[in-house]
Amino acid sequence: MLKRHFFKIGLFSVVSMLILQNAVAEDNVTKVEPASIKMPIEAFAIEAAIKSVRLSNNGKSIGYMKATSKRGDYILEVRPTNNMTTQPVTFAADKMELTSFFWLNNKKIMVSFRQNIQDGNENYWATKRAIVNADGTGKWLVPFAKENFTNYTVISTLIADPEHILLSYDINDDRKTDVIKYNINTGSTRTIYRGNEKVSGGFLTDFDGDVRAGTGYDISASSINLYVRAKGSDEWELIHQNKPENREVFDFLGLSVENPNEVMVSATLDRNTAGIYSYNIETKKFSERLFGLESVDTDGLILSQKLANRGELLGYSYTAKHPIRFFLSNTEAAVNEASLYQAIEDQFPGQFVRLSSRSEDDNAMVIYTQSDSNPGTYYLLINKKDLSLIGDTAPLIDKSKLAKVMYVKYKARDGLVIPAYVTIPQGKGPFPTIVNPHGGPWSRDVNIFDPWSQMLANNGYLVIQPQFRGSQGFGLELWKAGDGEWGKKMQDDLDDAAMWLVKKGLADEDRLGMFGWSYGGYAAFVASLRKNNIYKCAVAGAGVGDLDRVLSSINNSRYLRIFQAPTVQGIDPIDHVKDVNIPIYIVHGDIDQRVPIKHSRTFVDALKEYTTDFKYTELEGADHFSNTLYYEHKMQFYGELIDWFDNRCFNNNDIAAAN
């Protein structure tokens, strides 16, 4: 039986911690009158109050990033786990933004920072990392301090050698990545592997720190080659070529602890979905498929984090509606891990539970819970019996006013089965409905808690997120079905999602709209110009408006010319601006580096020749991804988004009446 204690981190207080006297009843959803369901936009716009909660290896210290303002402005706090109410050690930066951290050993932390630099017509993110003592003493050590970018990757923290870490870094500036051992106390370096023409990236090391696998680009074959080598050997063996024309899945996952000459891979190997295989370096053979499913790709391995059996294979993970863990039953460690998760999950019914951090002896664990009615909550579990509430990520959100999410499958008009998430607002349908395609398009949604869907649902809108053809994670068939179908069959899948909801009685056929970001913004551009339009309006966020501009960027890479360029074919929005036949709201960050703002500006300039029935907003200082949309951007954008749907697209009085 878990004993519960509750500690809550103050939302904007730098050092204070509020002790809650009573448990938080997360799952007691109170029925409310429709008029009281709507929350202020700020509840969704404010940055997470707390994030990245991580334990030191021995579990004696805990660190977390805490917001000091509505826009974030995060600081890092470190406290002893045996006294969470004590004064924390605090880390912050004057000019740069603290973005993440992790423990290097029990005493030292690596902290990451960034700063947007605008120099004439150029803007970029300067990034730095610093190594600091967790107790706040001593000087900060900044690896390669003269560089403006963090051009290295931490490969291993070397449990057996806590004074050093392994970095992937081009130390001699020859455009070939090396593996170096870095002293976290002095900053001294030693090269342990020199990158060469054959293997110069994607390094995988075993638990002794030996480089055992890596990748290299083969110019003659335009392929990414994957190599392995036996323990103690200098000879590389080519085991697979990722050829761009094949569009298959093959990735290294890790080296087996049980057999040091066995490497684990995620691969399709002539199957539709990616599964788990092992490759024996000595016999030069792949195993039979160790794990796999017919409908979704396998995500990866579940490995033991305990010091006694670190790296032992415990099971596999995959994602359907939510990420799912499949534990093996043939080892004591795997059975114990499954039992541990079951015991914790029993304490949080209806929640997706993740052990986001844990000590080497499992006597301290950070539990993170989330669901469609919970934006995220952190707990600390000590000795597997004392449970303390650390804090909610979004304390201003009233969980009783959030919407339920369904995971469904529907058939497109040509019979292809499409998965989708449906967020259903409180109230009585049929509802005004927003089709919300994801970005990428080579990606997928994982909707445990989706702030955009929940915000729209809280304002009365049903939201469907189709995993349309061209999406990844559901096998090669669905992924490749989107090739060359931009604005065509990919777009049909979105329209078919809306009409499927209409047939189910959930969506109001006369009140359909589309809102997307990135590729989803492209889809919204196309939605605005389709004939026999089913939508009343569209919202294109950071959208691709000019396919030629995208293709010119892709064609700069020989690999991408073969791998991706042939798939990016279809309707080019800029060539069909005259066909726009519904109101459209266009929004774009003015320093967007992934989809430059020129896409939206060009579309808007052309649109002015044909209609005035549009709205255009540039978000000052916003880049492409969600971690660059700050509080002020969200307050502006979310307010305009809801106003657009309420007052320009649909009649908000009708929505209120329907609810």
Side-chain angles (χ1 to χ4, degrees), residues 374-417:
N374 176 18
T377 305
Y378 287 101
Y379 298 86
L380 177 64
L381 179 62
I382 298 294
N383 297 324
K384 298 180 182 177
K385 60 184 179 66
D386 295 327
L387 185 68
S388 304
L389 173 66
I390 299 173
D392 289 315
T393 59
L396 294 187
I397 288 181
D398 184 341
K399 297 173 185 177
S400 70
K401 299 178 181 180
L402 294 174
K404 293 299 182 184
V405 179
M406 296 193 308
Y407 182 64
V408 302
K409 293 183 179 180
Y410 65 93
K411 283 188 177 181
R413 63 192 67 181
D414 63 356
L416 187 64
V417 176

Side-chain angles (χ1 to χ4, degrees), residues 324-340:
I324 297 173
R325 294 171 287 266
F326 177 87
F327 290 104
L328 300 173
S329 58
N330 59 347
T331 69
E332 181 181 1
V335 171
N336 289 341
E337 185 77 356
S339 299
L340 172 65

Side-chain angles (χ1 to χ4, degrees), residues 373-606:
S373 59
N374 176 18
T377 305
Y378 287 101
Y379 298 86
L380 177 64
L381 179 62
I382 298 294
N383 297 324
K384 298 180 182 177
K385 60 184 179 66
D386 295 327
L387 185 68
S388 304
L389 173 66
I390 299 173
D392 289 315
T393 59
L396 294 187
I397 288 181
D398 184 341
K399 297 173 185 177
S400 70
K401 299 178 181 180
L402 294 174
K404 293 299 182 184
V405 179
M406 296 193 308
Y407 182 64
V408 302
K409 293 183 179 180
Y410 65 93
K411 283 188 177 181
R413 63 192 67 181
D414 63 356
L416 187 64
V417 176
I418 309 291
Y421 294 93
V422 182
T423 304
I424 305 174
Q426 297 186 27
K428 183 180 179 181
F431 300 98
T433 295
I434 309 302
V435 178
N436 179 218
H438 61 69
W442 289 359
S443 64
R444 63 158 292 177
D445 289 307
V446 182
N447 188 345
I448 301 174
F449 177 87
D450 185 85
W452 285 358
S453 297
Q454 288 290 347
M455 180 190 65
L456 288 166
N458 185 248
N459 283 271
Y461 297 98
L462 184 148
V463 180
I464 185 166
Q465 296 167 275
Q467 309 308 294
F468 48 87
R469 69 191 73 206
S471 299
Q472 284 183 302
F474 302 94
L476 297 179
E477 180 183 347
L478 185 69
W479 182 25
K480 292 184 177 182
D483 291 2
E485 295 293 341
W486 285 48
K488 297 178 181 179
K489 290 182 180 180
M490 293 170 76
Q491 202 75 20
D492 291 343
D493 292 346
L494 306 179
D495 294 0
D496 292 345
M499 298 314 295
W500 179 80
L501 289 171
V502 169
K503 291 179 182 178
K504 292 292 182 181
L506 288 169
D508 183 342
E509 186 173 7
D510 294 325
R511 295 185 294 172
L512 302 175
M514 183 179 288
F515 158 51
W517 194 270
S518 196
Y519 172 84
Y522 163 84
F525 277 137
V526 174
S528 73
L529 51 84
R530 291 201 112 187
K531 296 179 180 179
N532 303 315
N533 213 321
I534 67 171
Y535 302 107
K536 294 298 183 183
C537 71
V539 177
V544 173
D546 187 344
L547 286 191
D548 286 342
R549 189 177 294 273
V550 172
L551 288 169
S552 66
S553 175
I554 291 175
N555 287 332
N556 288 332
S557 163
R558 183 179 178 184
Y559 186 88
L560 291 180
R561 276 202 305 273
I562 304 170
F563 181 60
Q564 194 172 30
T567 76
V568 185
Q569 302 292 332
I571 304 299
D572 196 341
I574 194 63
D575 292 337
H576 297 273
V577 176
K578 66 179 183 303
D579 297 324
V580 170
N581 53 67
I582 58 173
I584 182 169
Y585 168 36
I586 300 163
V587 58
H588 214 125
D590 70 348
I591 61 169
D592 193 325
Q593 297 181 47
R594 177 56 62 91
V595 180
I597 196 171
K598 189 72 171 177
H599 283 268
S600 287
R601 287 176 176 171
T602 302
F603 190 90
V604 168
D605 287 343

Side-chain angles (χ1 to χ4, degrees), residues 194-247:
R194 181 74 68 189
N196 52 58
E197 293 293 338
K198 180 182 287 186
V199 181
S200 60
F203 299 111
L204 199 63
T205 62
D206 59 22
F207 284 90
D208 296 324
D210 295 333
V211 180
R212 301 287 310 288
T215 64
Y217 181 63
D218 185 338
I219 296 177
S220 62
S222 294
S223 66
I224 297 174
N225 294 348
L226 292 93
Y227 296 90
V228 296
R229 61 183 181 180
K231 184 74 171 177
S233 173
D234 292 329
E235 297 298 318
W236 289 106
E237 175 195 349
L238 175 65
I239 68 168
H240 190 78
Q241 286 186 300
N242 275 336
K243 295 185 177 181
E245 62 269 23
N246 291 346
R247 288 270 302 285

Side-chain angles (χ1 to χ4, degrees), residues 5 9 72 81 283 317 432 506 544 563 589 599:
H5 307 281
I9 294 175
T81 53
T283 65
S317 63
L506 288 169
V544 173
F563 181 60
H599 283 268

Side-chain angles (χ1 to χ4, degrees), residues 37 180 201 270 318 323 358 432 446 499 502 571 614:
I37 289 175
I180 64 172
D270 299 322
Y318 64 95
R358 56 206 293 186
V446 182
M499 298 314 295
V502 169
I571 304 299
F614 69 90

